[in-house]
Amino acid sequence: MLKGSLFASYTVPGLALMLLVGGSAMVATWLPSKRHPLGPQISLVSGLVLMAFEAVALLIVGYTWLLGFYVAVGLAIVALSLRQQFRHPKEGRRV
């Protein structure tokens, strides 16, 4: 699948997936659980990082159904984080 791409093996893309996507998702999960004020913003960044990674994967590997699934997950993360950021302040915190 990597023939003709910049990568000879899956090592570099795998490390990028683990550190960028996994790391941002881990922080985006941890901060809101502690009710940190930057939780929604970090979640937004995490969703955008996931979609950016999948856009690069689309260019390198091509379309697969799994790529489409993870783009949908990224969109859901972005939508939920935006909803959290712009919620009316009188509504209070929902758990």
Side-chain angles (χ1 to χ4, degrees):
M1 288 181 92
L2 294 177
K3 193 173 268 185
S5 73
L6 300 173
F7 305 108
S9 73
Y10 286 100
T11 303
V12 173
L15 285 172
L17 179 64
M18 180 182 71
L19 296 174
L20 297 175
V21 177
S24 68
M26 186 170 60
V27 172
T29 301
W30 180 73
L31 283 180
S33 73
K34 301 296 180 191
R35 299 203 185 273
H36 193 280
L38 290 178
Q41 289 88 351
I42 300 299
S43 295
L44 174 69
V45 169
S46 175
L48 293 173
V49 166
L50 175 59
M51 290 191 299
F53 185 87
E54 295 303 328
V56 172
L58 175 65
L59 295 174
I60 293 174
V61 178
Y63 180 78
T64 65
W65 70 270
L66 196 56
L67 187 142
F69 173 77
Y70 281 115
V71 168
V73 169
L75 284 171
I77 292 169
V78 167
L80 290 171
S81 67
L82 288 173
R83 179 177 177 252
Q84 180 72 19
Q85 288 181 46
F86 296 112
R87 187 172 51 186
H88 193 277
K90 290 187 180 182
E91 288 184 34
R93 292 199 107 107
R94 294 184 201 153
V95 178

